[in-house]
């Protein structure tokens, strides 16, 4: 696994710093300096005009366009895709001095520095502009997105003339004319352009989906005059004159309120949208930049109080893991019910902004132990989109619900049938997520009111998608693709069959639980779902007789029926220049051997770790790890976590080395397209589940910490039933204490203890010391 860092940013425990601007890293920096608050996100592009290479990206969660695909002659093939559409640039800025427009691609400048403060979410950029007429101006740009009222964005521009007094012009506006980079097209129609005093607003409508985005701003500052600029169809802007005095700083602040209407067919949603738009000016005039900034500081303080990870003796990974935590909270924190997490968050257009099946497997654990309400909201997205999953099942000749592999609205957006039609793990991943959330929250109301309906519909799909063997002794799934996407149209994939068995059994357990808890609600649910005793018995029989491919002689779980007989490829003999394989090997060649893209058997052994002995995990790890090519950025973390468990400490650290800095150091050379959001979540898992040895699938939360040899110590925090547990690992000892909340019981190296505000300290067993 050859991955090489392309280090560009300065190392700092709480800041991402760019000293000097290198255009070759322009788009990488735009991704890294992205800001988001779940509702909206902006890449770290320059506010002012920039004629160089840039991806000027502004996105809203759940706002998308739809494109029709050529109609297939075959049933069940996706006929359209959806993509998160590039939206309004609410930071639109132009600065003019003596008829020279500021553009860092052509203008002379010095002392460039850009800094993202992870403690408070503020992005600043400053430099000295040397104009053609010999004037020097120090410019400082500051921006942030409100984390509490997620409709609000803020910008501050400061200008200090260093060697002159005189006037400059600053144009501030709201711009819907941006082209969507991936399609080189603009997808907006604009209405309701308003210019009033220092207030601007405009409404954009997506041409196809008819979803709407309303953007408004109110500008204050040291300007002596202004005028409206009305000539452009999709832009509203004002020109401000700043009278500058040598050595004195002049400022402009812009407060922004954005609203979306994601369901244009809902009359109530439309009425609410209109009311919010109409009240925006009054709301903006009552806001204060400094107050909003302070409110954000306090919000982030609370985050770091309960979620910080400290690493001693490793500055790179200290910066890296804090950046990961920061981006996870920027991407999602439960601000809106029924939204999801795209593969790139709100930082770029790759993967069309779609959410994938790994949301429940990789992202959900982070939120369960850092923001349980956000975890619940993620699952509510699956409930709200259940009707679409049922339509998808019907198109695939199944009953129940077949959840999409890639989606924004709940519709299947993957145009590759071998993924969209063969991968069942999105559906079983939803079942896993419901189980995991309820287990860690004891939220029976969610389970019975929302979760159980999803579980029942998933079971119906599983009962109609699978089949019995000829002699009806075993049940399983044929012509599927498991998590390892290098194996297609396989039979009895271990992960798929195991997860189906789990889903059947868990659903039946929940039904029994509901019956004991509230027989009236149980009876009403059975009637609502038209569930018969015969159907429930069928699920039980399918679970009991599920085929799990296993070789008793070797102790290996076979990834799928026939996998052991596939031609072997020594992955280390593949030339480096062949990577990525999707670009350099013919598509069918990838599927003709035993090479693994990402963990399949091992993924499940992590998810249900307590169901397998350490011997079984070791046997399967040592067989499958040498066959894994790690073509997915999610892959190394799973291997690192299991390697830690198996006391393969050097190997664990080797896999971990680039986990926290996947994007900061551009390991995959594609950070320019946006951040690897699910990989960022996996980096958190790598430390907490890996080195921290946490396991959450057993009867009680357990820990078996180890420590990498290169670290002198580390600590992390997890929230468990409303108690924040602080875990402090030193070279020879580990201590646990409750920062707040009630005492809770956990397991530490197989010993059950109660964690309270008084630290409990344990010696780290010799075999756990890296």
């Amino acid at each position: 696994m050859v991955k090489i860092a392309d280090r560009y940013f300065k190392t700092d425990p709480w800041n991402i710093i760019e000293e000097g601007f290198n255009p070759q890293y322009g788009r990488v920096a735009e991704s890294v300096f992205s800001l988001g608050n779940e509702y909206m996100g902006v890449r770290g592009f320059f506010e002012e005009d920039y004629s160089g290479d840039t991806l000027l990206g502004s996105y809203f969660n759940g706002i998308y366009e739809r494109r029709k695909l050529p109609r297939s002659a075959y049933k069940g093939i996706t006929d359209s895709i959806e993509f998160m559409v590039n939206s309004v640039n609410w930071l639109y800025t132009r600065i003019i001095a003596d008829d020279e427009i500021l553009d860092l691609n052509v203008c002379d400048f010095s002392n460039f520095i850009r800094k993202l403060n992870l403690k408070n979410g503020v992005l600043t950029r400053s430099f000295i502009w040397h104009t053609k007429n010999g004037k020097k101006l120090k410019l400082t740009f500051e921006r942030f997105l409100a984390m509490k009222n997620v409709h609000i964005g803020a910008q501050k521009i400061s200008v200090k003339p260093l060697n002159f007094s005189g006037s400059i012009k600053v144009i501030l506006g709201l711009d819907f004319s941006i082209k969507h980079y991936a399609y080189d097209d603009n997808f907006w129609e604009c209405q309701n352009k308003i210019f009033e005093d220092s207030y601007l607003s405009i409404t954009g409508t997506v041409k196809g989906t008819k979803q709407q985005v309303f953007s408004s701003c109110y500008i204050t500052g040291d300007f002596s005059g202004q005028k409206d600029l009305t000539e452009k169809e999709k832009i509203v802007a004002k020109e401000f004159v700043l009278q500058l005095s040598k050595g004195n700083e002049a400022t402009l602040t812009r407060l922004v309120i954005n609203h979306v209407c994601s369901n244009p067919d809902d009359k109530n949603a439309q009425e609410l949208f209109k009311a919010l738009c109409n009240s925006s000016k009054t709301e903006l005039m009552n806001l204060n930049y400094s107050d909003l900034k302070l409110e954000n500081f306090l919000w982030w303080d609370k985050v770091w109080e309960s979620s910080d990870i400290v690493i001693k003796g490793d500055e790179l990974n200290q910066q890296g893991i804090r950046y990961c935590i920061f981006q996870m909270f920027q991407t999602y924190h439960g601000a809106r019910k029924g939204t999801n997490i795209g593969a790139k968050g709100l930082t770029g257009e790759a993967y069309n902004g779609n959410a994938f099946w790994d949301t429940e497997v990789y992202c959900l654990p982070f939120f369960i132990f850092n923001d349980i309400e956000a975890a619940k909201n993620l699952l509510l997205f699956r409930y709200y989109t259940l009707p679409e999953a049922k339509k998808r099942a019907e198109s695939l000749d199944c009953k129940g619900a077949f959840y999409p592999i890639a989606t924004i609205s709940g519709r299947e957006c993957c145009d590759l049938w071998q993924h969209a039609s063969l991968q069942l793990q999105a559906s079983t991943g939803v079942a896993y997520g419901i189980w995991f959330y309820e287990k860690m929250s004891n939220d029976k109301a969610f389970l019975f009111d929302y979760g159980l309906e999803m579980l029942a519909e998933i079971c119906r799909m599983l009962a109609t998608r699978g089949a019995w063997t000829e002699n009806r002794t075993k049940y399983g799934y044929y012509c599927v693709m498991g998590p390892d996407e290098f194996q297609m149209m396989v039979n009895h994939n271990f992960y798929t069959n195991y997860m189906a068995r789990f889903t059947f059994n868990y659903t039946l357990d929940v039904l029994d639980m509901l019956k004991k808890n509230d027989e009236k609600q149980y009876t009403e649910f059975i009637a609502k779902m038209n569930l018969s005793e015969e159907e429930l018995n069928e699920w039980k029989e399918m679970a009991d007789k599920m085929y799990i491919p296993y070789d008793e002689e070797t102790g290996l779980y076979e990834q799928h029926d026939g996998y052991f007989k596939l031609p072997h490829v020594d992955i280390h003999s593949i030339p480096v220049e062949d990577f990525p394989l999707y670009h350099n090997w013919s598509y069918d060649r990838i599927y003709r051997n035993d090479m693994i893209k990402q963990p399949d058997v091992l993924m499940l052994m992590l998810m249900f770790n307590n169901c397998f002995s350490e011997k079984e995990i070791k046997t399967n790890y040592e067989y499958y790890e040498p066959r894994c090519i790690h073509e997915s950025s999610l892959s190394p973390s799973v291997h690192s976590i299991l390697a830690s468990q198996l006391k393969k400490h050097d190997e664990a650290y080797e896999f971990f080395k680039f986990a926290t800095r996947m994007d900061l150091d551009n390991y995959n050379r594609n950070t320019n397209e946006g951040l690897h959001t699910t990989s960022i979540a996996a980096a958190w898992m790598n430390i907490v589940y890996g080195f921290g040895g946490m396991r959450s699938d057993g009867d009680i939360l357990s820990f078996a910490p180890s420590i990498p040899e290169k670290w002198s110590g580390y600590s992390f925090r997890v929230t468990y039933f409303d108690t924040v547990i602080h875990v402090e690992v030193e070279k020879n000892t580990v201590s646990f204490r409750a920062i707040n909340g009630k005492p809770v019981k956990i397991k530490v190296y197989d010993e059950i203890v109660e964690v309270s505000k008084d630290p409990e300290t344990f010696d780290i067993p010799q075999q756990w010391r890296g």
Side-chain angles (χ1 to χ4, degrees), residues 62 65 70 123 245 298 315 337 362 399 510 609 707 739 760:
E65 181 60 298
L123 176 63
S245 176
L298 296 174
E315 292 181 349
K337 291 182 179 180
Y362 286 93
K399 295 179 181 179
V510 174
N609 198 256
I707 182 167
I739 294 177
E760 288 276 354

Side-chain angles (χ1 to χ4, degrees), residues 723-735:
T723 295
V724 178
I725 301 173
H726 182 269
V727 183
E728 180 86 30
V729 186
E730 302 292 344
K731 275 296 186 184
N732 300 311
T733 62
V734 56
S735 64

Side-chain angles (χ1 to χ4, degrees), residues 455-479:
L455 290 169
E457 296 292 7
I458 294 167
C459 284
R460 281 178 164 158
M461 179 275 291
L462 293 171
T464 50
R465 176 58 174 83
W468 290 95
T469 53
E470 187 178 0
N471 59 6
R472 212 179 183 280
T473 57
K474 293 292 180 183
Y475 189 82
Y477 296 88
Y478 298 81
C479 299

Side-chain angles (χ1 to χ4, degrees), residues 36-40 61 145-152 260 299 328-341 346 367 371-378 380 384:
N37 63 7
E38 182 187 332
Y39 189 80
M40 56 184 172
N61 201 333
L145 295 181
M147 301 302 290
K148 192 172 181 180
N149 185 341
V150 293
H151 302 275
I152 297 172
V260 305
W299 192 94
M328 287 303 295
F329 276 101
Q330 281 209 132
T331 301
Y332 203 87
H333 57 274
R336 289 181 70 203
K337 291 182 179 180
T339 55
N340 208 326
I341 298 174
L346 298 170
F367 292 111
D371 188 343
I372 195 74
E373 193 65 22
K376 179 179 178 178
N377 284 356
L378 268 178
L380 281 173
Y384 295 149

Side-chain angles (χ1 to χ4, degrees), residues 264-291:
D265 297 326
D266 185 328
K267 289 184 179 180
N268 291 332
Q270 277 285 347
E271 289 300 318
L272 177 61
F273 176 69
K274 289 176 183 177
L276 291 169
C277 296
N278 291 336
S279 65
S280 70
K281 183 179 180 182
T282 302
E283 186 178 353
L284 281 167
M285 292 176 69
N286 289 323
L287 294 174
N288 177 276
Y289 185 91
S290 297
D291 290 345

